[in-house]
Amino acid sequence: MAIGSATPPSEWVSSNTTSQEIDEIVQFLVDQGTFNFPTLSTGLFSAAAAENPEFRLTGYQNVWVRDNIHIAHALWLIGEKQIAVNAIQSFVSFYSKYRHKFVDIISGKTDPANVQSRPHIRFDGESLTENDEHWAHAQNDAIGYFLWLMCKLLRSGDLSVSEEIVDLLSLVVQYLHKIEYWQDEESGHWEETKKIEASSIGPVVAGLVELKAWLSESGTELDSSVQDQIVKCLAQGESALDEILPAECIQPDPSQHRLYDSALLFLCYPLQIVDRETTTQITENVRQHLMEPIGIKRYIGDSYWCANYRALLSPETRTTDYSEDLSGRDALLEEGQEAQWCLFDPILSIIFAQRYLESGREADRELQLFHLKRSLAQLTDRHSHFGPYRCPESYFLEDGNWIPNDICPLLWTQANLRLALHWMKLSCQKS
């Protein structure tokens, strides 16, 4: 196996690749800076690590809860446990600092329909303060992811319990119960049109499952009314998922109704809260309806980074809050010219890795390898102005050519690729 500029990254792996060779690939990419995860002084991560002059206009220097949880989980899984703990502790500090956001909604003092009154899911990660901006903070998936990883770290013993954490756990449950998250219209992973979506309900269910397990294992007791709310919230969330899946949203309004969305893959991994049959349906839907030659669409009709995006929109408006009205941006999209994202092939590779490790079926291993090859092919080449071996957010069409968008490297993509290589090593050890 030859690794380097003379060999396309997609050819670095094959059905004969050994676990040692996977280690060599990882080390090569580490040496190239591909898996550089710069942390802020608080231990949190900006969404991207770009340095171009217009970068701050994208807002990607901010901390997103969702991205950080995916990154922290990936690093935790490969052994960088303290990094994950530091991130969670900073989130605990941030949400404890603004605990009134939970309290005021729970008490009825503020209306969750005013998204600015909700706990913020994008903020200044250096100062742990809210940004003075209007943003689509109604994103229940982010709160669910936070709850999920915090409880996983509590269960593993890597995160020490404190009064502050127990207080926050109680507030999160009461908040989710108050807003009736299982039927709450919110903006979800993509921060767009509000709807009741499975990809947002799922992370909350996963978080509640982990919370319930930790409470049982640790003997920790919350107020009896909160305990009752955990049971109700879990039952309502699971019922909602049963009704909606494998679709993303079944509301009849055409602006909300969505059969296929790649965010559903995260219910399969890393959350692992759907059964084998539903996982199969979700993965096949993504592969059949959203997979393109380079990457994978978020959903059909996605206008974010559509063709000639930079020419059509100013830097200030490319990543602005579109949660209230997508019509202007959607009018720019021509059919079949959605951006092709790099987040999802690594996740598909992991899902098929898990299947292979359970079943030993070569067909699953071939699909794992197929999506890992695609993931590696998405790395920037030596001609890119971002430099070689960088993980883009997506590829978009500009003047007839598919090129990385301005959000490069995206740390969430890096984390997913690193995990896909981790799971390929596990598969190689089984073979």
Side-chain angles (χ1 to χ4, degrees):
M1 176 191 63
I3 305 172
S5 58
T7 307
S10 61
E11 296 180 14
W12 293 351
V13 291
S14 71
S15 57
N16 298 319
T17 298
T18 65
S19 61
Q20 181 180 344
E21 288 172 328
I22 294 297
D23 285 338
E24 292 171 5
I25 293 169
V26 170
Q27 188 57 56
F28 175 80
L29 292 175
V30 167
D31 293 342
Q32 301 303 311
T34 307
F35 295 133
N36 180 30
F37 293 93
T39 55
L40 303 172
S41 63
T42 56
L44 295 174
F45 307 92
S46 297
E51 298 178 354
N52 62 73
E54 294 180 345
F55 176 61
R56 294 197 69 83
L57 295 176
T58 69
Y60 277 66
Q61 75 278 4
N62 287 302
V63 159
W64 268 265
V65 175
R66 172 191 314 102
D67 295 46
N68 270 251
I69 295 301
H70 277 274
I71 296 163
H73 170 257
L75 296 175
W76 176 69
L77 202 62
I78 64 171
E80 301 285 349
K81 294 185 176 182
Q82 193 57 48
I83 295 177
V85 170
N86 292 345
I88 287 295
Q89 287 176 329
S90 287
F91 279 129
V92 170
S93 296
F94 173 76
Y95 282 125
S96 295
K97 181 178 181 178
Y98 292 97
R99 73 187 297 276
H100 67 276
K101 293 279 180 128
F102 295 96
V103 171
D104 288 350
I105 287 176
I106 293 165
S107 67
K109 181 179 178 181
T110 59
D111 185 353
N114 173 12
V115 297
Q116 297 306 112
S117 73
R118 295 199 184 205
H120 285 199
I121 52 75
R122 162 174 138 150
F123 57 89
D124 187 321
E126 197 66 74
S127 62
L128 297 184
T129 56
E130 293 181 347
N131 292 325
D132 184 18
E133 63 176 357
H134 188 281
W135 198 254
H137 293 296
Q139 297 178 36
N140 298 336
D141 66 295
I143 301 298
Y145 280 124
F146 168 57
L147 179 64
W148 171 74
L149 187 57
M150 178 164 53
C151 292
K152 285 186 80 71
L153 297 187
L154 286 170
R155 292 184 68 191
S156 70
D158 294 312
L159 178 66
S160 299
V161 67
S162 64
E163 290 185 9
E164 187 178 41
I165 286 175
V166 173
D167 173 65
L168 189 55
L169 288 171
S170 177
L171 287 176
V172 168
V173 171
Q174 294 175 72
Y175 168 78
L176 293 168
H177 181 265
K178 178 68 175 184
I179 66 172
E180 298 185 335
Y181 80 93
W182 57 89
Q183 57 183 0
D184 181 43
E185 292 191 346
E186 46 79 71
S187 295
H189 284 71
W190 313 137
E191 305 182 314
E192 295 177 345
T193 303
K194 297 186 188 73
K195 55 187 176 296
I196 302 169
E197 44 202 338
S199 67
S200 284
I201 297 170
V204 176
V205 169
L208 292 169
V209 168
E210 290 292 333
L211 172 59
K212 187 177 178 182
W214 175 71
L215 291 173
S216 175
E217 293 163 2
S218 67
T220 304
E221 293 186 5
L222 302 179
D223 184 87
S224 60
S225 63
V226 177
Q227 296 279 171
D228 291 342
Q229 288 177 1
I230 293 173
V231 174
K232 178 182 178 181
C233 282
L234 195 49
Q236 293 282 11
E238 290 173 337
S239 176
L241 288 179
D242 286 343
E243 182 180 1
I244 300 170
L245 289 173
E248 166 72 329
C249 177
I250 57 174
Q251 290 174 272
D253 187 324
S255 69
Q256 298 172 312
H257 190 81
R258 184 175 300 166
L259 294 179
Y260 317 117
D261 194 308
S262 293
L264 293 168
L265 290 172
F266 303 127
L267 307 191
C268 309
Y269 190 89
L271 298 177
Q272 302 184 79
I273 57 156
V274 291
D275 59 26
R276 176 66 177 271
E277 180 182 355
T278 307
T279 296
T280 298
Q281 290 176 311
I282 290 171
T283 55
E284 288 310 303
N285 283 345
V286 169
R287 283 169 48 81
Q288 180 178 348
H289 299 283
L290 301 177
M291 187 168 68
E292 296 292 340
I294 299 174
I296 294 175
K297 301 175 185 178
R298 298 191 301 181
Y299 57 89
I300 297 169
D302 180 14
S303 59
Y304 182 54
W305 284 98
C306 62
N308 299 312
Y309 200 66
R310 290 190 293 203
L312 294 170
L313 292 170
S314 67
E316 295 85 355
T317 58
R318 290 172 195 161
T319 55
T320 192
D321 179 7
Y322 282 101
S323 61
E324 299 297 333
D325 184 10
L326 266 177
S327 60
R329 198 184 74 188
D330 285 350
L332 305 176
L333 175 68
E334 294 186 24
E335 185 177 354
Q337 295 187 350
E338 298 93 336
Q340 300 181 31
W341 283 60
C342 306
L343 287 173
F344 308 116
D345 279 292
I347 298 299
L348 281 165
S349 183
I350 293 168
I351 292 168
F352 289 115
Q354 292 183 314
R355 286 191 189 177
Y356 170 68
L357 292 171
E358 292 172 3
S359 68
R361 292 178 64 247
E362 280 304 313
D364 291 327
R365 180 169 165 78
E366 289 173 8
L367 286 168
Q368 176 191 10
L369 183 63
F370 172 79
H371 285 286
L372 179 59
K373 281 176 167 286
R374 281 172 53 91
S375 303
L376 291 168
Q378 291 159 4
L379 292 169
T380 56
D381 62 27
R382 61 189 177 89
H383 302 294
S384 172
H385 69 275
F386 297 111
Y389 308 115
R390 296 293 174 260
C391 294
E393 179 183 68
S394 71
Y395 281 78
F396 80 111
L397 194 61
E398 184 170 79
D399 297 329
N401 298 306
W402 288 96
I403 62 172
N405 78 7
D406 291 351
I407 318 303
C408 182
L410 184 73
L411 271 62
W412 187 0
T413 310
Q414 293 178 190
N416 289 358
L417 176 59
R418 182 63 187 85
L419 271 186
L421 287 164
H422 169 78
W423 280 93
M424 180 53 76
K425 180 176 179 178
L426 297 178
S427 292
C428 291
Q429 291 170 343
K430 177 184 174 69
S431 299

